[in-house]
Amino acid sequence: MDPRGGDYRQQARDFAVLAVLEGEEGLSGEQEELARAVMEVVLLAGLAPYNIEAAADGEETGVGLAPAPGNHRALRVKWQQDPAAARHLTPELCKAQQAAMHQALHTILSAHRFWIEDAPLSEAPLVLGRTRPGH
């Protein structure tokens, strides 16, 4: 599947399930609906979604999703760095790249009017809904 071409909505539906990070629980119905919307924005922004099937082959880089503990409607949107590339970087550089990607995800999702929990920009955004209440 090519995240740069084709029908973004169909690809977003496909990636909504494939982008759940390894070791995480499956998504609730509300989370899966939110995941489709998030993945559509990720694809439109030109970012690669994490793909659990490709991760099995060692290609683990991309925007991944994790269910929010205790909130069956929210999703944590995380940048998954390539572990092979990260081995060649200092821990400080890995941390800086991770923080920058989370800040970029926060900015992109906010621009698309997703409701994101207030937290430091360097943290993986916690998406609470498609729009902030009252907007």
Side-chain angles (χ1 to χ4, degrees):
M1 187 170 306
D2 180 5
R4 295 173 303 267
D7 180 350
Y8 287 104
R9 287 201 171 125
Q10 179 59 48
Q11 290 183 35
R13 281 190 293 276
D14 295 339
F15 277 117
V17 176
L18 295 173
V20 176
L21 294 168
E22 188 174 347
E24 297 289 346
E25 294 180 24
L27 303 178
S28 70
E30 291 101 337
Q31 288 169 328
E32 191 168 329
E33 183 178 326
L34 183 57
R36 284 191 293 266
V38 167
M39 282 294 112
E40 187 172 342
V41 168
V42 165
L43 290 163
L44 289 170
L47 297 172
Y50 173 83
N51 180 339
I52 195 148
E53 291 175 352
D57 295 331
E59 297 177 30
E60 301 175 60
T61 304
V63 178
L65 305 172
N71 187 337
H72 66 278
R73 294 182 179 171
L75 289 172
R76 181 82 53 193
V77 181
K78 298 181 177 182
W79 175 252
Q80 182 73 26
Q81 292 193 62
D82 179 6
R87 284 193 292 269
H88 300 285
L89 304 172
T90 65
E92 295 81 19
L93 188 52
C94 282
K95 186 176 178 181
Q97 287 180 173
Q98 192 76 21
M101 289 304 296
H102 286 156
Q103 184 172 0
L105 287 167
H106 188 282
T107 301
I108 291 164
L109 293 167
S110 293
H112 284 269
R113 302 197 181 279
F114 281 90
W115 178 20
I116 299 172
E117 181 179 75
D118 291 332
L121 291 178
S122 61
E123 290 182 12
L126 180 63
V127 180
L128 303 171
R130 293 190 68 158
T131 57
R132 184 176 288 277
H135 288 93

